[in-house]
Amino acid sequence: MKILISGWYGYENIGDEIILYAIHNRYKKIHKNAEIIGCSSNPKYTFNQLGIKSIQQIPVGKRELLKSIFNLSIFKVLFHLVTCDLFILGGGGFLSDWQIEAPKDWLRKIKLVKIINPQVKVHVFGIGAGPFISDSGKNYVKNKLEKYADEITVRDYRSYYELKSICKISKNINIEIDPVAKYFNYSKKFDEEFDLCLIVKDNFTSKYWSDPINNKKRSLLFECYKKIINLSQAKKINLLVISLHSNHETEILCYLEKIAYENMTIIKSNNVFEIIDLIAKSSKVISMRLHGNILAYVLNKPFLPIVYHFKTYEFLKMIGFDFLINDVLFCGDGINWDDISPDPVMWEFLVCKFIEKNSNEYIIKK
């Protein structure tokens, strides 16, 4: 049996790479003798990081197609598409038309797969869906999923609602927690070197947020990060700062370097397991990245989540996070989450509480 897994892989985003790793683990457990291949924009990087056999991502646009013909990768891709038994489009939150091109680019792939290999089974797995802004976007997603997907599994209840109630998809839709939370295997043990790991994300930088209000929110977000650093310095703790997508977040990392102190370490790395090992070496975690929070949960670390998107809120609900008891930091854009500006005063208060209180109060048991 041959299984192809296609997703947002090869872009050096640690969160996306570990989604592939987790999905690979899931299907390897089900189909022990299967040949499982990842479709990546950078197959060499994905293979070197995860040890998963990888080929070039399926080209759908003219530029991608011409590039694949020029470098001859198209022939290997076509061979594996024709000979695969199961095609998985999986992991991540690409089914949302607030980025108009995203669902079209990805759903064209399952259409192409079915045209080339009509017998192949297509499983859309572990995805986040929504928000949907336009009727054309809703109709496009409904049409392509109902026509070409044999099985659909979403990672949270909001995604289920978006596909069932907003897009009006009639097919059965399964719900299963994000694959990293369930299928990411990690057994290393380390002595803790850092008191706190801060996993940053540079938000409000998209062309969809290019307005004065969101520019102000971004400035407030930077101020919130500065508050965390100043508080950590005042309490003389060893602070680790990392990004899960460091080659795309150079501006925020450069800003934080300018205000770093002696016991603060900033890591810029696209090495998947180096980053995960560093999180494992930390006593506590504050993360704006969804998969930073998921990794803290998997590693049994106390964590303080920063909710900027409903996907984080939904993950927290899936693991039994009690919002009446547990603390949360908010940072909303008004599209993917409520329109809530980062509040430096509230962040400072809750981070101070997180640093000082008993770690067990912030651990969510698996």
Side-chain angles (χ1 to χ4, degrees):
M1 183 178 192
K2 181 184 289 185
I3 301 172
L4 295 189
I5 308 173
S6 178
W8 216 299
Y9 314 132
Y11 293 99
E12 302 184 16
N13 183 318
I14 305 296
D16 290 326
E17 298 302 319
I18 60 175
I19 289 173
L20 172 58
Y21 184 79
I23 294 175
H24 175 276
N25 289 347
R26 181 188 194 269
Y27 284 92
K28 198 66 178 176
K29 188 175 181 180
I30 297 170
H31 306 285
K32 292 182 174 59
N33 298 318
E35 179 185 12
I36 303 179
I37 302 169
C39 299
S40 168
S41 67
N42 187 343
K44 186 177 179 180
Y45 168 79
T46 298
F47 174 75
N48 288 341
Q49 292 299 308
L50 306 178
I52 295 173
K53 182 179 178 180
S54 300
I55 61 172
Q56 194 65 41
Q57 183 59 263
I58 302 165
V60 289
K62 291 181 181 178
R63 185 179 297 177
E64 288 181 15
L65 182 59
L66 287 173
K67 182 179 178 181
S68 69
I69 294 171
F70 181 76
N71 62 24
L72 304 180
S73 64
I74 185 64
F75 300 105
K76 182 182 284 189
V77 171
L78 287 172
F79 169 76
H80 287 296
L81 289 180
V82 169
T83 57
C84 76
D85 303 288
L86 175 60
F87 181 84
I88 301 161
L89 182 65
F94 52 78
L95 277 189
S96 170
D97 69 346
W98 79 274
Q99 290 180 300
I100 299 169
E101 67 281 359
K104 292 183 178 180
D105 285 350
W106 290 106
L107 294 180
R108 282 190 192 116
K109 296 183 193 299
I110 62 173
K111 176 182 178 179
L112 181 62
V113 169
K114 280 287 193 179
I115 291 171
I116 292 173
N117 184 355
Q119 304 305 314
V120 72
K121 294 295 182 183
V122 171
H123 187 178
V124 178
F125 178 77
I127 61 163
F132 292 100
I133 310 299
S134 67
D135 288 338
S136 61
K138 298 169 195 174
N139 292 333
Y140 185 88
V141 169
K142 172 183 169 65
N143 175 269
K144 293 298 180 285
L145 287 180
E146 291 196 334
K147 193 170 184 179
Y148 300 112
D150 297 294
E151 188 174 339
I152 305 169
T153 301
V154 295
R155 65 187 177 188
D156 53 56
Y157 290 95
R158 169 68 182 269
S159 297
Y160 178 88
Y161 169 81
E162 291 283 343
L163 293 183
K164 275 289 186 182
S165 299
I166 304 298
C167 294
K168 308 293 184 185
I169 290 175
S170 58
K171 278 191 171 184
N172 182 57
I173 298 175
N174 305 307
I175 303 171
E176 186 175 296
I177 195 169
D178 187 287
V180 176
K182 191 170 183 179
Y183 301 108
F184 183 81
N185 302 322
Y186 188 90
S187 57
K188 294 181 185 179
K189 300 294 181 184
F190 296 101
D191 292 331
E192 291 178 342
E193 298 179 14
F194 305 99
D195 301 308
L196 178 63
C197 173
L198 173 62
I199 302 174
V200 299
K201 181 183 186 301
D202 191 355
N203 211 21
F204 309 113
T205 57
S206 167
K207 63 183 179 182
Y208 301 99
W209 290 317
S210 56
D211 62 75
I213 294 174
N214 282 303
N215 290 338
K216 183 179 179 181
K217 285 184 181 179
R218 185 168 183 248
S219 297
L220 285 171
L221 177 61
F222 278 43
E223 181 65 23
C224 286
Y225 286 142
K226 184 178 180 181
K227 288 281 188 182
I228 295 174
I229 289 171
N230 290 344
L231 185 62
S232 301
Q233 182 177 15
K235 294 187 175 296
K236 299 180 180 179
I237 67 174
N238 291 323
L239 176 64
L240 170 68
V241 177
I242 60 176
S243 162
L244 298 189
H245 202 184
S246 58
N247 61 343
H248 277 246
E249 296 184 321
T250 54
E251 188 174 345
I252 181 65
L253 293 172
C254 288
Y255 168 78
L256 297 177
E257 280 181 330
K258 292 177 183 177
I259 57 174
Y261 61 94
E262 185 178 354
N263 291 335
M264 174 176 162
T265 304
I266 298 178
I267 300 294
K268 301 175 184 177
S269 174
N270 63 3
N271 186 303
V272 173
F273 284 97
E274 177 189 358
I275 292 295
I276 295 170
D277 289 348
L278 286 167
I279 298 172
K281 293 176 183 178
S282 303
S283 298
K284 297 180 178 182
V285 177
I286 300 174
S287 177
M288 188 163 176
R289 286 278 181 183
L290 168 63
H291 285 93
N293 291 305
I294 293 177
L295 284 170
Y297 169 72
V298 169
L299 298 172
N300 204 34
K301 298 288 181 182
F303 67 99
L304 178 60
I306 303 171
V307 174
Y308 77 99
H309 191 291
F310 71 75
K311 63 186 179 182
T312 305
Y313 180 80
E314 290 293 322
F315 162 70
L316 294 172
K317 288 200 301 182
M318 293 282 283
I319 62 172
F321 191 94
D322 190 336
F323 289 88
L324 296 177
I325 299 173
N326 302 107
D327 292 328
V328 183
L329 303 173
F330 289 105
C331 176
D333 57 48
I335 300 173
N336 295 298
W337 185 246
D338 295 339
D339 190 2
I340 304 173
S341 296
D343 185 340
V345 176
M346 181 58 71
W347 279 41
E348 184 178 36
F349 171 74
L350 292 178
V351 169
C352 183
K353 180 182 170 186
F354 177 63
I355 291 172
E356 293 179 348
K357 291 198 76 171
N358 189 313
S359 294
N360 290 334
E361 297 183 30
Y362 290 88
I363 294 177
I364 309 297
K365 295 293 184 181
K366 290 183 68 177

